[in-house]
Amino acid sequence: MAPTSPSASASYKKKDGTLAISSDLQSITWTPKNGSDSLLSLQTASVTNLQQTPVNNPKVMLKIFVQGPPGQGQSQESAAPVPYVFTFTSPSNARTEADAIKEALNTIIQNTKLAQMPTRDGTPTAPAAAAKPPWYDDNRLKADMALQQSLLNSNEGLKRVFAESLRTKPASVTHGQLVSQFWSSRIHLLRAHAIEKSQEQGAYNVLSTVKPRVEDKRRLNLSKEQIQLIFSQHPLVKKVYDENVPKVAEEIFWSQFFQSRLFKKLRGERITDADPTDSLLDKYLKYDENTGQPANEFERVPHLINLEGNEENVSQRQGNRPSFDMRPTPVDKVPIIRTLNSLSEKIMRNVAPADQHLANAENADREVYNELQLRDLREQEEQKRIMLNIRDQSRFFSEGNAGEIKKEQVVAKQDPTASLNMLRSDFSRTYIDTPQVKLSRLVEPEDGDSSDEEQSKPKKEPVGSKASLASAKSQIFGIIGQRKAQADPESSSSTCGLSQTIFDRLALTHATTTEFLTQFWNAFLSGNPDRASEIASMVESLNRAMDRINEVAKAAEAERQVELDKLKKHAREVMASTGRRIRLAEVDGGEKVVKQLMGPTINALSKATAEYQKALAQQTAEGQS
């Protein structure tokens, strides 16, 4: 089902009515509200020009010029056009509806002119493609009220947000302005819904899915669409129906058909002797399933896969028999394969082919053969490479260890004698009274020589000490607390401790506040001075949005206080009856949770209000100066 054509409320000659373009884009019709008035229909192919009132004019009018009838001695082209003036009367979307009608008519006029343009050889071009689908035009989507209502009915959350926005809108913003702003930020949803509504169910194997039921043993539960699909996919059934239904009642015919051998044959099932016979339908078992189809649409098996034809032309009866799946089999053995293949071809005939280059039937087999060649069985071509013999390859890998090479170069440049003299002088200054020192003392430091890192490490407490027991106790209780928090149903609840009523109210408040913020920033950042009053009313809406958040917070806190009072009352009753004090459990929710959940939104409201006050102060200062 395609999206609805553009329509609008318009008056013609001071009479109210509806102006609409037909679904086939061939005519534009004005239908009066009063049934006694005459209907006006204009052919879109005869429209020559359009005129519309300026944007700043509050009265929205559209003048359509239609080619008039030729007078005596005049040709059709020289006839004067006849104007038709329509005044759009919608209180909120008059300009939008007029733009949608005008845009659609402009597209039709351009396509008509393009179709009449001659080609180089003098022949007219083929008719231009149909106008673009309506979902590509944002203005038509915003003016299509039926589509918007359908989307609201299919999306309950969006419907609640829309209703709440209408209920809490400022008085200075009209209904039409709010609706236009609301859908301007949701064009993608309208486009997706329009495309979804335009989808249609394709053809399918109806006999494999239909399951007729006989109601009251007289009436067969079979829809009209299923019967049409059966006739289109199986012309033989249509032939049998045309020849026998006038003589046999329709209910009896279909009940016999779904129990007959002909039905099993068309489904691709194997017919057995146990199946019931039918003198009326069994005579059609030997008929071709494609009876009624044109002769050039009969099945043509390509020679490449025609096993039976290959067996007749080139018989290979010597040696072992071919495998089972390579032997030609009669239709009766595996009927379902041929039935499904034939039905699939019938369904795919209505699909645009992807192999346009195989349109020539003479070269089709050769093209298919080239595509189906097993190229992976060919011998691999020998790769021709040039062998490079390099003697010293280490210089090609010196980039990764550049630091080590640099150190080696520094060491290589040092004088061994000077290095040994420096080592002896250091040794004599360190060990003055010791002529001989073990090498291990020079290489490994003594126990007292500990680094700063080892001293900074925490001292490991011995097992069983008081400190280690306290550490283990704190760790165990910490793990228990974490597991308790994870197992607590309230902590993992999706409502964050709030009741479902308060949470739904908070979610709706958040959605409407976000909507008002979106509208405010769209107007504030537009830079249009004419929208100053609209921006001021939007700021009032933002202030009221903050009040609504506070009201929800108060309601949540009151609800939490009621729960606390219940717990305290229970504790007092236990104390009075048993003399034992019980510890009150924590109660989640309340004003704190609401403020935490709405924290980003509250910050956004503060930011928007601050920016508006800043811009207002700047404009006031500029005006005074």
Side-chain angles (χ1 to χ4, degrees):
M1 182 178 65
T4 57
S5 300
S7 61
S9 300
S11 62
Y12 176 67
K13 294 183 178 180
K14 298 183 180 181
K15 296 179 181 179
D16 294 335
T18 303
L19 185 66
I21 299 178
S22 61
S23 58
D24 56 357
L25 306 179
Q26 298 297 322
S27 63
I28 179 170
T29 307
W30 178 79
T31 306
K33 288 186 177 180
N34 190 359
S36 60
D37 297 331
S38 59
L39 184 74
L40 177 63
S41 180
L42 305 175
Q43 297 297 322
T44 55
S46 303
V47 177
T48 59
N49 195 10
L50 299 172
Q51 289 183 1
Q52 189 179 7
T53 54
V55 179
N56 54 5
N57 192 340
K59 196 171 185 179
V60 183
M61 302 174 65
L62 179 64
K63 183 182 290 187
I64 302 176
F65 292 89
V66 180
Q67 191 71 37
Q72 294 183 356
Q74 287 184 341
S75 61
Q76 182 68 29
E77 292 77 7
S78 60
V82 179
Y84 295 87
V85 181
F86 299 94
T87 303
F88 292 84
T89 58
S90 175
S92 57
N93 293 327
R95 178 66 60 180
T96 305
E97 293 177 352
D99 292 340
I101 295 288
K102 182 182 178 182
E103 184 68 23
L105 289 176
N106 278 330
T107 304
I108 296 173
I109 293 173
Q110 294 298 328
N111 291 337
T112 304
K113 292 181 179 179
L114 184 61
Q116 296 175 355
M117 291 178 59
T119 57
R120 293 182 179 179
D121 55 358
T123 59
T125 59
K132 288 185 178 181
W135 52 76
Y136 288 118
D137 190 350
D138 294 351
N139 294 328
R140 294 182 65 177
L141 291 176
K142 289 189 290 185
D144 195 343
M145 297 182 182
L147 179 66
Q148 296 168 7
Q149 188 64 35
S150 175
L151 177 58
L152 292 177
N153 293 334
S154 62
N155 192 334
E156 192 64 29
L158 186 63
K159 186 176 182 180
R160 288 200 303 268
V161 173
F162 181 74
E164 185 68 15
S165 301
L166 290 179
R167 188 181 67 84
T168 58
K169 73 177 183 66
S172 58
V173 178
T174 63
H175 179 274
Q177 291 176 347
L178 181 64
V179 171
S180 178
Q181 293 172 358
F182 182 85
W183 291 115
S184 296
S185 59
R186 292 171 174 83
I187 292 295
H188 61 289
L189 297 179
L190 290 173
R191 182 175 292 109
H193 188 65
I195 295 174
E196 180 183 357
K197 291 182 64 178
S198 66
Q199 300 298 317
E200 297 180 355
Q201 185 180 12
Y204 61 96
N205 187 0
V206 61
L207 289 183
S208 64
T209 58
V210 64
K211 295 180 180 179
R213 298 193 309 270
V214 179
E215 299 177 354
D216 299 334
K217 297 183 180 179
R218 290 176 297 178
R219 184 178 179 183
L220 191 68
N221 185 16
L222 191 65
S223 64
K224 180 180 178 181
E225 291 77 11
Q226 290 175 335
I227 295 177
Q228 292 177 351
L229 276 177
I230 292 174
F231 286 164
S232 62
Q233 294 178 6
H234 303 281
L236 179 59
V237 180
K238 185 177 181 181
K239 175 182 176 63
V240 177
Y241 179 86
D242 292 338
E243 293 180 356
N244 297 279
V245 165
K247 305 174 185 178
V248 182
E250 186 172 1
E251 293 82 1
I252 298 177
F253 170 79
W254 287 114
S255 61
Q256 291 181 359
F257 171 74
F258 287 112
Q259 298 175 4
S260 64
R261 296 186 175 187
L262 180 62
F263 176 68
K264 295 190 66 176
K265 176 187 176 182
L266 295 178
R267 281 172 59 100
E269 299 178 2
R270 185 176 299 178
I271 300 175
T272 61
D273 296 336
D275 295 330
T277 59
D278 191 315
S279 59
L280 180 66
L281 301 176
D282 286 353
K283 60 183 179 180
Y284 296 99
L285 289 174
K286 297 183 180 180
Y287 278 54
D288 192 278
E289 295 183 14
N290 293 326
T291 302
Q293 295 287 342
N296 58 353
E297 292 191 10
F298 280 108
E299 180 182 8
R300 189 186 70 85
V301 181
H303 295 312
L304 182 65
I305 59 176
N306 190 355
L307 302 181
E308 189 174 2
N310 292 339
E311 181 65 22
E312 293 179 0
N313 294 336
V314 184
S315 178
Q316 298 179 1
R317 300 187 181 277
Q318 298 86 5
N320 298 330
R321 292 194 305 172
S323 60
F324 174 77
D325 53 354
M326 295 300 293
R327 302 175 202 163
T329 56
V331 182
D332 299 337
K333 284 193 174 182
V334 193
I336 190 170
I337 296 178
R338 295 177 181 266
T339 301
L340 293 179
N341 289 340
S342 176
L343 185 60
S344 299
E345 289 185 2
K346 293 177 184 177
I347 294 175
M348 294 301 293
R349 281 197 187 107
N350 297 327
V351 181
D355 50 352
Q356 294 288 350
H357 60 285
L358 300 181
N360 189 359
E362 297 179 357
N363 300 327
D365 290 344
R366 175 58 57 183
E367 294 288 341
V368 173
Y369 176 77
N370 293 333
E371 290 183 0
L372 297 180
Q373 277 185 329
L374 300 179
R375 297 180 178 87
D376 55 343
L377 298 181
R378 296 179 180 176
E379 295 182 359
Q380 295 183 357
E381 296 182 0
E382 183 180 357
Q383 297 181 356
K384 298 180 180 180
R385 299 178 179 178
I386 300 176
M387 301 299 297
L388 299 178
N389 298 322
I390 302 176
R391 295 180 180 179
D392 186 11
Q393 300 183 6
S394 61
R395 57 192 180 94
F396 294 102
F397 307 99
S398 60
E399 295 181 358
N401 52 359
E404 297 180 0
I405 294 176
K406 188 175 182 180
K407 291 181 180 179
E408 293 177 358
Q409 292 176 356
V410 172
V411 173
K413 293 179 181 179
Q414 291 181 354
D415 186 7
T417 305
S419 300
L420 289 175
N421 293 333
M422 186 183 300
L423 181 61
R424 290 191 185 97
S425 61
D426 292 340
F427 177 78
S428 61
R429 286 196 301 268
T430 305
Y431 303 97
I432 300 175
D433 300 333
T434 306
Q436 294 181 356
V437 181
K438 293 182 179 181
L439 184 61
S440 59
R441 292 188 60 185
L442 298 177
V443 178
E444 298 179 0
E446 296 180 356
D447 296 338
D449 300 336
S450 59
S451 61
D452 296 337
E453 295 180 358
E454 294 178 353
Q455 293 178 359
S456 62
K457 291 182 180 179
K459 185 178 180 182
K460 187 175 181 181
E461 299 292 341
V463 179
S465 63
K466 187 176 181 179
S468 62
L469 291 177
S471 176
K473 180 180 178 181
S474 61
Q475 183 180 4
I476 291 173
F477 278 107
I479 295 174
I480 293 175
Q482 293 177 3
R483 294 298 299 272
K484 181 182 178 181
Q486 295 174 1
D488 189 3
E490 293 185 357
S491 62
S492 60
S493 175
S494 59
T495 59
C496 303
L498 302 174
S499 64
Q500 190 63 41
T501 304
I502 296 295
F503 188 80
D504 293 342
R505 182 179 170 186
L506 182 63
L508 188 60
T509 303
H510 174 267
T512 53
T513 305
T514 304
E515 178 64 26
F516 285 130
L517 281 170
T518 303
Q519 296 179 7
F520 167 78
W521 286 115
N522 288 338
F524 184 77
L525 299 177
S526 64
N528 188 0
D530 297 335
R531 304 183 67 177
S533 58
E534 181 183 351
I535 296 173
S537 62
M538 287 295 174
V539 173
E540 296 177 4
S541 300
L542 297 182
N543 294 332
R544 285 196 294 269
M546 191 63 202
D547 296 338
R548 286 191 292 271
I549 294 175
N550 294 330
E551 289 295 330
V552 176
K554 291 180 181 179
E557 186 62 28
E559 189 179 67
R560 179 177 177 274
Q561 192 63 37
V562 171
E563 293 294 330
L564 280 175
D565 294 341
K566 290 181 181 180
L567 292 177
K568 290 179 181 179
K569 182 180 179 181
H570 177 67
R572 287 194 297 267
E573 292 176 354
V574 172
M575 182 66 181
S577 59
T578 62
R580 182 172 56 89
R581 292 184 178 181
I582 60 175
R583 187 177 180 180
L584 296 179
E586 292 290 337
V587 179
D588 295 333
E591 183 179 2
K592 181 180 178 181
V593 173
V594 172
K595 292 299 179 65
Q596 288 178 352
L597 293 176
M598 298 295 290
T601 304
I602 295 174
N603 295 336
L605 291 173
S606 303
K607 175 68 175 178
T609 307
E611 289 293 331
Y612 172 75
Q613 296 296 337
K614 180 180 177 181
L616 181 61
Q618 184 178 359
Q619 291 292 333
T620 305
E622 292 179 358
Q624 293 177 356
S625 61

